[in-house]
Amino acid sequence: MQNAPHLVHNLAFVVPSYEWWNGPFYGVGLKVYDLLAGKLGLGPSRLLSREETLKRIPTLEPEGLRGGVIYYDGQFEDARLAINLAQTAEDYGATVLNYMRVVELKKTADVISGVTAIDLESGQSIEFNGRVVINATGVFSDRIREMDEPGCQPIITPSQGVHLVLPKEFLKSDAAIMVPHTADGRVLFAVPWHERVVVGTTDTPVEKPVLEPCALQEEIDFILTHAARYLTHDPDYGDILSVFAGLRPLVNLQGGEDTAEISRDHHVMVSKAGLVTIAGGKWTTYRKMAEDTIQQAALVAGLPERPSITRNLRIHGWLKAVDRDNHLHIYGSDRIYIEDMIKKHPELGKKLHPELPYIKGEVVWAVRQEMARSVEDVLARRTRALLLNAELSMKIAPEVAEMMARELKVRRKKRWIKEQLKLYMDVAKRYLPQRTD
Ligand SMILES: Cc1cc2nc3c(=O)[nH]c(=O)nc-3n(C[C@H](O)[C@H](O)[C@H](O)COP(=O)(O)OP(=O)(O)OC[C@H]3O[C@@H](n4cnc5c(N)ncnc54)[C@H](O)[C@@H]3O)c2cc1C
């Protein structure tokens, strides 16, 4: 909230009580949470009566409801923060590359001295030298460790989590619902997000990580069935606007099988050859993870010790007084440049689709300023069109491809557009729920 105020806001969470012990139990737990947060807390938690709970969340299942507990947490724009962090690194002198896959680690006298990578667009192989190499590849960490020490003991247990996006009618509130313990012991939440609601999640162990994980039908069924117990309207397959799956890179040093029980802590490891691996952790703790990693990396590289500057570092786009009613507020201090562009080319101010918040100028901006190279970059990772409504995102994909081809000045434009659309449609179809029985 201090370092990227344009991307983070305070969100109220209500834990509904349907059992007599829920209120006191979670009430005490959340008081401890308040104490731990100290002066960084976003607001004190408190018990709610049944009436207050229903006033806060009118679409909460009233049958058997006794009351609730309200607490506060931060909600942030995750894709935008990732982009803004890369931009911050660049502002401070880093060279940032995308679509560059590391395929080999280079060693000099048994010590890591760089990487060989493939430029996925040209197919060209490129060598990079470095005094230290950091492996920060999430669920793929073990693949890079294998390049260093073939046959090494894996440390990552990928855990799949699935989220469903539903229309706002299911949660007519600016507060979220949090159920810490469903009947079968899982966490369930329904969070307001971009005029919609995100419902999740699952914790399914996965054998091998894949680039594009796919939600299982049983995961979708679990979320729908459990959400129906807490909402007045029971959501069904037909209500789902988008379903997305991700893999948590959990570090499993104990070898436990229940992924929900594995700690979300992060671990920094240095191999014999000097490969620094950062694994596990959470988005929320990224800054601390980075600080711990850089400290180790500086030691390996033999660089002078320097205190980290990131605790109070303003992230690219930092702007405190943002007008959250204007969709472009997520660009923070960059918003004025997008508006300037629109002044010169008013057609860029038009929406890509009436039911999505995104305007055409954002496509141009993403290509010019945010290294967007593919239609999927724009629709899934710069904007969130794919996650807000997979079907609508497929409808706007041809126009986005056309604009990008012009902006990127691609050769063989028609072919590029055709290839991009095929790739995008193949990905987007996976975000549309399919019931097989
Ligand atoms: C469903 C779900 C819900 C979650 N909810 C929360 C939450 O509420 N709060 C929270 O704090 N955290 C949450 N997390 C966890 C959080 O999202 C992850 O911990 C975090 O994204 C991991 O970041 P990372 O940078 O380690 O890995 P990633 O984000 O996976 O990044 C790794 C990168 O490495 C790249 N890469 C891999 N191999 C190579 C290679 N050979 N060459 C070059 N690049 C390579 C990949 O392309 C990728 O970009 C959630 C995760 C999931 C799946």
Side-chain angles (χ1 to χ4, degrees):
M1 272 187 159
Q2 284 168 5
N3 297 352
H6 58 300
L7 297 176
V8 191
H9 62 267
N10 199 341
L11 182 68
F13 280 78
V14 171
V15 181
S17 315
Y18 289 93
E19 306 283 348
W20 67 267
W21 54 268
N22 285 168
F25 183 76
Y26 295 121
V28 170
L30 287 164
K31 276 291 161 217
V32 174
Y33 169 91
D34 289 349
L35 275 173
L36 287 173
K39 64 177 177 15
L40 291 178
L42 304 177
S45 62
R46 71 178 181 91
L47 292 175
L48 298 178
S49 67
R50 180 187 144 86
E51 287 65 38
E52 283 175 311
T53 307
L54 284 173
K55 203 167 158 208
R56 269 294 190 165
I57 307 200
T59 48
L60 191 64
E61 177 58 62
E63 207 185 309
L65 183 73
R66 289 165 173 266
V69 187
I70 190 166
Y71 72 97
Y72 299 87
D73 202 340
Q75 182 177 38
F76 74 102
E77 295 289 340
D78 57 353
R80 299 304 316 166
L81 184 61
I83 298 298
N84 282 169
L85 281 172
Q87 289 171 318
T88 311
E90 204 167 46
D91 295 344
Y92 278 79
T95 298
V96 183
L97 301 174
N98 57 353
Y99 290 102
M100 192 69 77
R101 177 178 292 156
V102 169
V103 288
E104 205 174 57
L105 296 175
K106 289 176 31 162
K107 287 187 183 173
T108 310
D110 288 339
V111 174
I112 308 257
S113 57
V115 300
T116 306
I118 304 280
D119 174 349
L120 296 181
E121 291 184 343
S122 67
Q124 200 189 343
S125 167
I126 304 173
E127 295 201 353
F128 297 87
N129 298 320
R131 283 162 78 162
V132 61
V133 172
I134 299 174
N135 170 19
T137 52
V139 278
F140 300 103
S141 300
D142 285 331
R143 288 205 192 154
I144 306 290
R145 289 178 62 245
E146 273 274 335
M147 293 177 193
D148 174 27
E149 291 176 351
C152 63
Q153 181 74 20
I155 51 165
I156 299 285
T157 297
S159 147
Q160 177 156 308
V162 166
H163 292 178
L164 308 182
V165 180
L166 302 173
K168 192 177 168 54
E169 291 75 69
F170 288 93
L171 181 74
K172 284 192 193 143
S173 173
D174 53 6
I177 303 173
M178 168 60 82
V179 180
H181 212 78
T182 57
D184 63 349
R186 306 201 218 182
V187 176
L188 187 82
F189 55 77
V191 178
W193 190 57
H194 293 283
E195 298 302 307
R196 288 156 181 81
V197 46
V198 180
V199 190
T201 184
T202 53
D203 214 313
T204 313
V206 169
E207 275 286 313
K208 275 210 155 68
V210 289
L211 211 46
E212 196 57 54
C214 203
L216 304 172
Q217 186 175 327
E218 64 198 61
E219 291 180 299
I220 302 176
D221 288 342
F222 163 81
I223 297 173
L224 288 175
T225 316
H226 281 76
R229 293 190 190 154
Y230 296 93
L231 299 173
T232 41
H233 302 305
D234 297 355
D236 200 356
Y237 270 73
D239 299 308
I240 302 174
L241 301 171
S242 186
V243 48
F244 56 99
L247 298 176
R248 302 178 187 90
L250 305 184
V251 174
N252 189 7
L253 299 175
Q254 268 75 43
E257 280 181 13
D258 184 353
T259 50
E261 300 292 323
I262 301 175
S263 152
R264 268 55 175 163
D265 287 350
H266 65 273
H267 299 262
V268 182
M269 280 153 275
V270 183
S271 77
K272 264 196 210 139
L275 177 69
V276 179
T277 296
I278 166 72
K282 300 200 63 154
W283 226 140
T284 322
T285 54
Y286 83 87
R287 199 206 61 80
K288 176 78 175 113
M289 291 165 68
E291 185 179 333
D292 293 351
T293 309
I294 294 297
Q295 262 171 10
Q296 281 296 330
L299 274 180
V300 174
L303 295 170
E305 237 179 85
R306 271 201 289 170
S308 167
I309 58 160
T310 54
R311 184 179 279 270
N312 299 307
L313 184 71
R314 290 182 175 182
I315 301 302
H316 184 102
W318 189 96
L319 192 67
K320 198 142 199 177
V322 286
D323 169 13
R324 293 191 193 276
D325 289 336
N326 184 321
H327 157 69
L328 291 180
H329 80 267
I330 48 169
Y331 293 90
S333 57
D334 279 342
R335 174 181 152 186
I336 49 171
Y337 302 115
I338 301 180
E339 285 173 342
D340 255 6
M341 208 167 65
I342 297 169
K343 255 189 224 140
K344 286 184 198 126
H345 305 281
E347 74 282 1
L348 294 180
K350 289 196 184 130
K351 275 187 159 194
L352 285 161
H353 191 282
E355 288 171 48
L356 289 170
Y358 307 109
I359 58 169
K360 296 182 185 182
E362 290 178 81
V363 179
V364 173
W365 180 260
V367 173
R368 286 188 195 165
Q369 301 294 334
E370 298 179 345
M371 294 167 75
R373 306 290 303 174
S374 65
V375 169
E376 191 189 340
D377 279 344
V378 169
L379 292 177
R381 289 183 281 268
R382 305 303 185 274
T383 74
R384 298 302 239 172
L386 174 62
L387 308 190
L388 294 190
N389 192 317
E391 206 175 321
L392 294 187
S393 82
M394 288 163 89
K395 285 198 179 141
I396 60 175
E399 186 177 5
V400 170
E402 181 72 43
M403 288 176 74
M404 289 185 75
R406 229 177 301 142
E407 207 44 55
L408 289 165
K409 298 190 179 65
V410 292
R411 283 190 296 138
R412 300 201 194 98
K413 190 172 151 198
K414 271 195 180 150
R415 198 169 118 186
W416 185 87
I417 292 178
K418 199 173 157 200
E419 278 170 9
Q420 279 294 311
L421 288 179
K422 160 115 187 47
L423 287 171
Y424 184 71
M425 300 304 174
D426 284 350
V427 168
K429 268 186 232 147
R430 293 159 165 256
Y431 289 67
L432 290 169
Q434 274 149 15
R435 184 185 247 154
T436 47
D437 52 29

